[in-house]
Every structure is written in structure tokens, then in C-alpha cells.
Amino acid sequence: MITRILICIPTYDNDKTIANVVRECLQCTDLPVLVIDDGSKNAASELLEKNNKRIKVFRFPQNIGKGNALRKAFELAVEWDYTHIITIDGDGQHLPSDILKFLTAIKEDPWSLVIGKRKFSTDENVPQISRFGRNFSNFWVRYQTDSFVDDSQSGFRAYPLFFVQNISFFCNRYDFEIEVLIRLIWKGVTVKEIDVDVYYPPKHERVSHFHKFKDNIRISTLNTFLVIISLLRSRLSSKELAIGIGVGVFVGTTPLWGFHTLIVSLIAFFFRLNWPILWLGSQISIPPAVPFLIWGAAKIRMALTGEATLFQLQEFSIKHVYENFGAIIPWLFVEGILLGLILGLTIFAISLVYKNRIHQRSLNKNWSGKIRGGKVGNIFLFHLLKRGGLKTAYFVLLFIVPYFYLFAPKARKASLEFWKLIKPDRNIFVYIGMTLKQFFFLGMIMLDRVYQGFYNEKKFEIISQGENFLKNTEEGLFIMGVHAGANDMAASFMEKSCPIKVLNIVKHAPKDFSFEQIKAMQSNKSSINFIHTNNNIFPVFEIREAVARNEHVAFLIDRPPRHTCELVRFMKRLFPFDATPFKIAALSERPVSFLFTFKKDIKTYYFFMTPPRIYKYSNQLSRIEQIKLWIEDFASLLEQQIRIYPEQWLNFYSAWSSLPDASSTGTMHITETSNSREELHPHTPKILGPELASNTNA
């Protein structure tokens, strides 16, 4: 992946230092510099070198806070197509020469947040309040995230813009850097720290805009808010669920009625347990259950001591409880221990079984092309479609879509992220309606594909643009597409209308009920073949053999693992596209076409294919830079189509903010043993400097 890095320097009234910081940044790297002037009395632009194309200045008319300055920097950097931003303070506290350490860290792992850990031991002028503040902040970061960060207050950082571009932040001043750190850790972003030097001038020369009262109040409020969220969202391992339920049940069984919520809140805070789980367990003492708990305690007393029962359940009354309450109290605690153990162990066992099933499904985490839903439901729809026709199936789909909306939170979240990019500033009800429509299109397209499979003749009208490219080519094509529109209908159309030998579809290995099984139910004769891949194996040799036989090979390139992707602007945000198919196409020197198929109305589909083009490497740019340019061509054309048919964007993954294999750090292995192996391995991330580095040589 090409890493395109921008240095950002937020400044506010740093008249004595800002020019020197900018000059040193320019001297020690070839990266461009963005200065965010947060309403300084003397405009920073007047203090900087004039006519230097590597320097850009954005000025706020008045001071609005460091957080807002950094948020603006993120926005501009994404707009200008950078992948990373390195932030360094304009007061001279950090040494620009340490930026080289950040470049090395980014090259090693471009997906991590890199923090410059200040070496306080090397500067005797470091204020004691700064040492205390850092330790205090580190404690709360660890509490809120279970992550050890040695310098959570350092402003010397390298941000991977892909992960921050869609976060809606709410902090505007010094508390912003704590918020962005916590929220990136919660997203699963790795934090790397590197040692950096620090310079604090003598106290009488020091300039600080940190307001001891206001900013401490803001940070304390933020920490309170983040602690509450952490107690609501974390601690959900099988062991922690069992402990939470067990302790909650124990507390709920104790005769401290009216204080249970307070007690479980304190336990959650001091022992860092999940508060909702504790509270849920404590609800065992809801009013209708209290008589049964008291009666149960009396029975336990009788069973363990051999003494006669204090009262029968049918004789239960407030008078009986009042008269025997002193004898019952200790046995309520015993009952709480027993119930807590029983329910805790039960939850532990259930959680293990459930999470094991989830883990098995997550092994196939990339898009598999399977039909959403269970096997029984899909078979029902299959036979309903066969006997009742399309209209009947569409009618049933009206009831399935709301169910899918309620019980597919990841798809719902991905759809919301997409619609906020397409139609920003709409209310939540509009987004819900758009998502339901999107899910309905998904269902209709799948039903259409199955319905078409019942017949040899075409049952849908095809408006074709580019069909002749398939008919007139005698050699195998590389066909690039995405999870949008009707890929299966496109495959069926090509199978029935074009003189192709075999269409090979490269897809992630499926484990669930898929269209391949449906095709097996319909017919054993097909010119469509599936080449399976996964996060570790990419069948390059098999693909190139297929093309050598003049067979077509189709790829969906919008769900790549992180070690094969290239970040390209799509829908005004950075989006990961798979670079591997373009590498194979260039090495094979076979033509490439982009293919999109969309449903125009009930009975009509639009089939669009670009003219075949052979991508060849030139000597003017490095190969990975050329691949990025090719992907940008694809992304530009894709955006045009998606803005026409937004309801048919069917990549139900949060592709603008997370990657399919967040845990993957290894190198992609391939099955080829030819001389091209080196070219098909992921490139070491390449760091580009000024602007978009479009003229950088290999």
C-alpha cells in the first residue's frame, strides 16, 4: 500500500516557535506541511516562508480549540487523498527530527496509531504537573480500554486516516486527543509508541494555552463519560459474563432492597465489570420474585440445619416475614451464593457454546456470496418462487426485510455508514427507510437470479452496454466488479447470451448455503466455475491458467484483506480496494474490463461493461503507484454508477471505517512458483511525500 503522509502543525499564538518548527519539518523530510492556525493574534502565514509549495496554511478567524483544529486537519487530509497525518505541536516541545521515527513505524505497520512517548527523564524543566497529568491520564486510559499506553497526552502522533475519517467526535479542545485515542482503541486499532525527545523551556519562557480550571473540567467530564461507556460496552468474555451474572444475582438476593442498583454500580466501577450484566443479574429480586426468594431461603435453612421450616409458601404473609426476618437474613446470603454459582456457571456454558459458533462463522469473515438467512428459510423461498412466481415471492419479501433489519446489526450499521456518505444531514427515519429499501433490492435481486435459473430462455429484459466486448473477444478477460447490483444476474446473462467457454468467478470460500448449491439443484450443466480463495491463499496459478485457456476471470475487489489493499478515494472517503487482481492482470498482459449490472425495474436489468484495456507497467512510475492509478479509474466509474443506483450498493460491511480481517498481520501466500512470485506478494508500504507524489519515480 502506498502511504501518503501529511505533517500537521496546530498552532495558536506560537509566534516565537512556529516558523522554526515548520522549517525543521521541511528540512528533515520531503513531506508537505499543513499549518492549522487556530485564530492566532498574528496570522501564522505571515511568519512562514512565502511561495513554498510544500506549506499549506488553514486559518480559523478565532480560536475554537485544538480539537477542532485537528478535526479540520483530518478533513482536509482525506480530501487531499492522504492516508496518514503526523501531528506535531507548534510550540517547539517536540523535535521535528523525530518524525523519521514515525515514518519507520508507519512503514512497518500502516494501520496502527503511532504515539511519540516523551522522554521526560532527559529534560529537567518538565513541570511536575505534566508528569502527574500523564500518569493520571494513563491510568484512566487503561481503565477504559484495558490497554497500556505510556503517554496518552502526547500530541506527537501519526494517525491512520482510514480509521478516523467517519468518526463523529464531540470534543473540541485539549480533551480531543484523549477521545480519539480511546475511540480508536475501542475500534480495535493497535497503538504503537516510540520514544521521542521533548523540550520544555524554563518556566519564565514557557507559553501554555491550557486553562487549568476549564480544561481540567472538560477532561474530567470526558473521563467520566468514557468510564460509563466502558462499563456498558466491555467485559463480555464468557468468564466475565458468568462473574457479572453471578455477582449480580448474589447482590439481588441480599435483603438490601432499594440499594441493589447502587451496590452493583460500585462493584462494576471498582472491579471493572460490565454494569448492564451486573444489573440484569440483580433483577432476580424484582417484586414478584421476593416472596419466592424468602421462601427459598427458609427451605435452605431447613435443609442445612434440620430445623422445622419457618412457614409454608401458601402461608406467606408480611407478618410471617416480619416475625422471622432475623432468622432468614443469613440464609438469603447463602441462597444468593448458591443461585449466583448456578446461574453464573450456566451462563458460562451457554456463552462458550454460542461464541464457539460465532468463531466458526467468523473464520469465513470476508464476503462469501452466500444467501442471507438460514437453510430452511432459503429452501422455503426457493420452492415458493418456483410455484408461486416472482410477485408472490416479492410479497413475502416485504415481511422478511424488516426481520432482517432487526436481526442484522452489522449490515444495518454498514448501510447507515453508506447512506450518510450518499445523503448527509438526513434524519434517522430517512436512513431507516433507505436501509429497508436497500435490503429489499438485495432480496429482489437474489430472487430474480433463482427465478431465472428455472428457465433456459431469458425471463428479464437486458439493456446492454458493452455486450459486444464479450462477443468479439477471443481471449480471456479479467473482469472487475464489486458487491453492488446484480453480479449473479450478470453471470447468468453472460452464460446465456455470450459465446464464452467458462466464466471463472474468484470468491471467498463459502461455508453456508450459496448460489452454487442452488445451481446444483437447478442444473448440472454450467459454464460458470468458482475459484475459491481465503485470507491466506490466493490461487494465482489457477487464475493464470484459466486466462491462458482464454477463459474469463471475474473478481470482486471491494472486500480485500488489509495486506493486499490500496486506499483510494471513493465517495469522498478513503476506501480499500484489492490491488491483487490488477497485479495479476498486468503480469499476464491480458485485457481488463469493469462490469456493473443493476436492476432498473421489475423486469429490466442494465448491463454495463467497459472496453477491454491491457494494463502494462511503464518506467515512469513505480508499479504500485501505477496500480493505484488504475484503481482510481475503477473507483471513479464505480462512483458514477452507485450515485445512479445507490439502493443497490450491497457491500454490507463498514468498508469506510474497518477492514474485513482486522487481526490479519501476516503476508499473503500464493500458490504460484513462477518468477512472478515476488511481484504478487504485497509490497512493503511505500511512503510518498509532497502532494500526491504523482511524479515520483520508481
Side-chain angles (χ1 to χ4, degrees):
M1 183 184 81
I2 299 176
T3 53
R4 306 176 294 281
I5 303 172
L6 175 68
I7 297 174
C8 171
I9 308 175
T11 181
Y12 175 56
D13 287 345
N14 299 126
D15 297 359
K16 296 180 180 180
T17 57
I18 184 62
N20 188 56
V21 172
V22 172
R23 183 170 54 253
E24 290 187 23
C25 287
L26 295 174
Q27 290 174 350
C28 68
T29 75
D30 63 350
L31 301 176
V33 174
L34 168 65
V35 177
I36 302 290
D37 185 349
D38 189 19
S40 299
K41 294 176 183 177
N42 299 318
S45 58
E46 299 300 319
L47 305 173
L48 304 177
E49 180 183 349
K50 301 293 190 295
N51 301 320
N52 190 326
K53 294 182 179 180
R54 289 174 59 194
I55 301 176
K56 296 182 179 180
V57 179
F58 182 91
R59 175 176 169 80
F60 289 108
Q62 60 186 19
N63 178 257
I64 59 174
K66 185 179 182 181
N68 278 319
L70 292 176
R71 289 163 68 172
K72 186 62 181 181
F74 292 163
E75 177 188 331
L76 292 173
V78 171
E79 181 182 332
W80 296 338
D81 197 33
Y82 290 99
T83 61
H84 292 75
I85 191 168
I86 296 177
T87 60
I88 178 171
D89 290 346
D91 59 2
Q93 179 187 138
H94 309 130
L95 304 187
S97 57
D98 282 329
I99 290 176
L100 299 177
K101 298 179 181 179
F102 282 87
L103 299 184
T104 300
I106 292 171
K107 183 176 181 180
E108 292 173 352
D109 184 3
W111 304 106
S112 292
L113 168 66
V114 184
I115 298 178
K117 182 174 64 175
R118 295 166 293 175
K119 294 188 287 187
F120 280 173
S121 59
T122 62
D123 192 332
E124 60 183 15
N125 291 325
V126 177
Q128 196 61 37
I129 188 65
S130 295
R131 299 178 189 272
F132 171 79
R134 181 166 80 169
N135 292 333
F136 186 74
S137 177
N138 293 346
F139 168 80
W140 288 113
V141 169
R142 181 187 173 190
Y143 184 95
Q144 293 152 8
T145 66
D146 289 331
S147 298
F148 290 88
V149 178
D150 292 325
D151 195 351
S152 58
Q153 290 191 328
S154 174
F156 203 178
R157 299 179 177 183
Y159 292 96
L161 292 169
F162 175 73
F163 293 117
V164 302
Q165 63 182 347
N166 272 351
I167 299 179
S168 297
F169 297 104
F170 49 84
C171 291
N172 300 321
R173 295 189 177 270
Y174 283 101
D175 48 355
F176 173 80
E177 288 171 320
I178 295 296
E179 181 196 359
V180 68
L181 170 62
I182 298 298
R183 296 184 68 177
L184 286 179
I185 294 175
W186 283 350
K187 283 176 66 70
V189 176
T190 303
V191 176
K192 295 179 65 175
E193 292 187 277
I194 56 176
D195 289 328
V196 297
D197 291 313
V198 64
Y199 169 71
Y200 277 90
K203 187 174 182 179
H204 64 278
E205 298 179 10
R206 199 174 300 150
V207 177
S208 175
H209 302 293
F210 185 87
H211 195 287
K212 292 183 179 179
F213 179 75
K214 290 183 179 179
D215 286 315
N216 274 316
I217 289 294
R218 290 189 185 100
I219 292 173
S220 298
T221 303
L222 173 66
N223 276 319
T224 301
F225 181 66
L226 293 175
V227 164
I228 292 172
I229 294 178
S230 69
L231 294 177
L232 295 176
R233 69 182 300 277
S234 59
R235 305 291 175 177
L236 293 176
S237 68
S238 297
K239 177 182 176 181
E240 288 162 335
L241 282 174
I243 292 174
I245 286 291
V247 173
V249 167
F250 169 75
V251 172
T253 308
T254 61
L256 302 173
W257 298 294
F259 296 94
H260 291 160
T261 297
L262 174 62
I263 293 170
V264 297
S265 298
L266 293 173
I267 291 173
F269 178 78
F270 285 107
F271 294 95
R272 300 167 68 201
L273 295 172
N274 186 279
W275 184 86
I277 299 299
L278 279 166
W279 180 84
L280 181 65
S282 70
Q283 297 310 294
I284 194 171
S285 62
I286 56 176
V290 170
F292 296 96
L293 291 176
I294 294 175
W295 175 76
K299 285 293 185 182
I300 291 173
R301 173 182 177 276
M302 183 183 70
L304 295 181
T305 65
E307 298 180 12
T309 184
L310 297 172
F311 49 79
Q312 298 296 332
L313 183 60
Q314 58 270 26
E315 300 173 348
F316 184 87
S317 67
I318 295 177
K319 179 181 178 181
H320 282 99
V321 174
Y322 181 78
E323 292 174 349
N324 299 282
F325 192 67
I328 293 172
I329 287 178
W331 297 104
L332 283 170
F333 283 90
V334 173
E335 182 182 32
I337 294 173
L338 293 175
L339 286 176
L341 285 172
I342 293 170
L343 291 177
L345 291 173
T346 301
I347 292 297
F348 181 75
I350 293 173
S351 176
L352 281 180
V353 173
Y354 175 76
K355 291 188 175 184
N356 182 59
R357 290 183 179 179
I358 295 296
H359 175 68
Q360 292 301 319
R361 294 176 184 175
S362 70
L363 294 178
N364 192 32
K365 198 171 183 181
N366 280 49
W367 185 268
S368 65
K370 68 180 182 179
I371 296 178
R372 306 298 302 218
K375 293 182 179 180
V376 174
N378 289 322
I379 292 173
F380 166 76
L381 281 176
F382 177 83
H383 291 290
L384 176 68
L385 187 62
K386 192 170 185 179
R387 289 164 175 76
L390 272 176
K391 290 185 178 180
T392 303
Y394 285 173
F395 177 75
V396 174
L397 197 61
L398 292 173
F399 300 94
I400 296 175
V401 165
Y403 171 86
F404 181 65
Y405 179 88
L406 292 174
F407 295 98
K410 291 183 179 179
R412 189 171 66 240
K413 178 183 175 183
S415 177
L416 178 62
E417 179 182 74
F418 169 74
W419 285 114
K420 284 185 176 181
L421 294 177
I422 294 291
K423 298 181 183 295
D425 303 322
R426 304 295 175 92
N427 64 59
I428 187 62
F429 299 105
V430 172
Y431 289 135
I432 290 174
M434 292 173 175
T435 298
L436 290 171
K437 187 175 182 180
Q438 193 177 12
F439 290 171
F440 189 73
F441 264 96
L442 169 66
M444 287 195 298
I445 289 169
M446 287 184 165
L447 291 173
D448 291 350
R449 175 63 185 92
V450 178
Y451 184 74
Q452 176 63 71
F454 297 146
Y455 304 94
N456 291 323
E457 69 277 8
K458 288 193 297 184
K459 302 302 290 185
F460 297 89
E461 180 184 352
I462 305 294
I463 299 176
S464 175
Q465 182 178 344
E467 176 186 354
N468 58 305
F469 301 137
L470 277 175
K471 292 183 176 180
N472 297 334
T473 182
E474 296 182 356
E475 57 184 341
L477 287 175
F478 285 103
I479 301 172
M480 309 295 184
V482 296
H483 292 92
N487 293 311
D488 289 281
M489 287 298 290
S492 176
F493 171 67
M494 288 188 286
E495 185 179 22
K496 294 180 182 299
S497 302
C498 304
I500 60 174
K501 297 177 182 178
V502 176
L503 172 64
N504 298 277
I505 300 176
V506 181
K507 60 177 292 186
H508 202 78
K511 293 185 178 181
D512 297 301
F513 196 58
S514 68
F515 274 118
E516 294 149 86
Q517 292 164 290
I518 286 182
K519 287 186 67 62
M521 295 169 65
Q522 295 168 350
S523 172
N524 292 324
K525 296 180 180 181
S526 175
S527 58
I528 296 178
N529 177 52
F530 291 90
I531 299 176
H532 297 303
T533 181
N534 57 45
N535 287 346
N536 297 315
I537 303 296
F538 199 90
V540 176
F541 186 69
E542 186 178 354
I543 291 170
R544 295 183 67 178
E545 274 195 336
V547 175
R549 295 192 299 267
N550 292 325
E551 299 172 0
H552 303 313
V553 180
F555 302 88
L556 300 180
I557 66 171
D558 58 327
R559 296 293 300 277
R562 64 176 56 189
H563 51 279
T564 68
C565 79
E566 191 63 47
L567 290 180
V568 170
R569 267 176 60 84
F570 170 57
M571 298 293 179
K572 300 182 179 181
R573 294 289 192 276
L574 296 173
F575 188 94
F577 287 101
D578 197 345
T580 304
F582 286 93
K583 296 178 184 179
I584 300 173
L587 290 170
S588 303
E589 295 188 351
R590 291 300 180 100
V592 175
S593 284
F594 304 154
L595 173 64
F596 310 106
T597 304
F598 297 99
K599 186 176 178 68
K600 289 185 70 70
D601 54 46
I602 297 297
K603 282 290 187 177
T604 308
Y605 278 86
Y606 171 57
F607 178 93
F608 173 76
M609 176 174 276
T610 62
R613 171 186 171 184
I614 296 178
Y615 289 97
K616 291 184 178 181
Y617 292 125
S618 69
N619 295 324
Q620 296 180 345
L621 297 173
S622 70
R623 293 191 170 189
I624 191 64
E625 289 173 74
Q626 293 176 72
I627 289 171
K628 177 180 178 291
L629 292 176
W630 301 339
I631 297 175
E632 285 176 343
D633 291 341
F634 177 87
S636 176
L637 182 59
L638 173 62
E639 182 165 344
Q640 294 175 27
Q641 298 297 320
I642 294 302
R643 291 195 179 278
I644 298 172
Y645 303 100
E647 297 86 358
Q648 297 181 55
W649 174 257
L650 305 179
N651 185 343
F652 293 116
Y653 193 89
S654 300
W656 282 272
S657 58
S658 56
L659 291 167
D661 61 335
S663 62
S664 175
T665 56
T667 303
M668 180 181 71
H669 301 288
I670 59 177
T671 59
E672 184 178 21
T673 58
S674 70
N675 293 332
S676 63
R677 171 182 293 271
E678 181 179 351
E679 295 297 337
L680 290 163
H681 271 267
H683 289 257
T684 301
K686 180 167 183 174
I687 297 175
L688 299 184
E691 299 300 323
L692 301 183
S694 58
N695 296 319
T696 304
N697 292 325

